[in-house]
Each structure stands twice: as structure tokens, then as C-alpha cells.
Amino acid sequence: MGGCARCAAEEERTGPFLLIVGRRPPAPSRQHGTVRACPRGTDWRAALARLRADGFRVLARADPATGPPPPDAAGRRARRYAAEAWRALGADGVFRPGTDSAQDAVRALDPPWWHEGPECPFAFATPLM
């Protein structure tokens, strides 16, 4: 499992990741205005915090809100909740439909140094016994 320091530093920087793709943000654990609660009562914010504490980068690809803003206060609160949720989910990076291609996501999540360039020498010249 040996490797050079450059590879170890780059791998640590990229680390494991979770890409969340969706049109709607996750439901809150409890009713949030007109936004229905998760049927299981799962707190997605706590799950997100656990993932990040475990070293995961969490990125999001969400379709942006389209159409005119909702005419009533409840609709505006629902849209604000969605915007805040996607901002939290995409704090480590966001891919925008129509702007960022699938290839952009591949390049960001699978950096070329994993596949291109000279191989990193192993830390040990002989195998460990």
C-alpha cells in the first residue's frame, strides 16, 4: 500500500465523495411550512454532517428552479427552503445542468493524475515479508 507523498496528498484532497443528483431537495425530518416531512423522520442535515466528518466531499447536481416565483408566502418559503438545502448539499461543489457537462463532473471527480503521468514509485524497493 506504499506510494509517493504527492499521490497521498492528492488522494487526501480528493478523498471519497458523494454526488447527489436530484430535482427536489431532501425532505426535512419535520414538516417545514408546505414542505412535507420525510416519512421516516430522517434528519438529512445530521446525515450530511456525519458524511463530512468522515471525510467525504459532498457535491450536488440539481436542476435549478424554473418558472416565475411562487405568488404566495408559503410558495416563497418552500423555494427558499429548497435553495438553502441545495446550498448546504453543494457546499463542496455544484454541477449545474446546462452549464456543467457530464464530462466536467468526470474531470472533477476522477482527476487525470490518477491515470496520466509517470507512475509513483513504491515506498519500499522490496516487498514486506
Side-chain angles (χ1 to χ4, degrees):
M1 172 144 188
C4 72
R6 183 185 125 242
C7 291
E10 286 293 325
E11 186 171 332
E12 184 177 310
R13 185 182 65 78
T14 17
F17 63 86
L18 171 67
L19 175 61
I20 299 171
V21 179
R23 288 184 177 257
R24 295 183 320 184
S29 57
R30 288 191 233 153
Q31 185 84 18
H32 182 84
T34 59
V35 179
R36 295 180 151 250
C38 171
R40 295 178 187 234
T42 302
D43 182 357
W44 66 267
R45 292 177 197 269
L48 180 63
R50 279 193 305 274
L51 284 167
R52 288 197 170 119
D54 287 342
F56 278 81
R57 287 177 51 216
V58 181
L59 303 104
R61 183 188 185 279
D63 289 330
T66 58
D72 60 352
R76 286 190 297 275
R77 282 192 299 273
R79 184 165 284 182
R80 189 170 35 250
Y81 169 81
E84 290 170 3
W86 284 120
R87 216 175 2 263
L89 291 167
D92 296 331
V94 175
F95 300 103
R96 292 168 198 83
T99 302
D100 300 314
S101 69
Q103 194 60 27
D104 292 332
V106 168
R107 276 193 294 273
L109 301 175
D110 189 22
W113 57 261
W114 279 354
H115 310 286
E116 299 173 3
E119 291 187 29
C120 292
F122 289 116
F124 302 100
T126 59
L128 297 174
M129 298 288 189

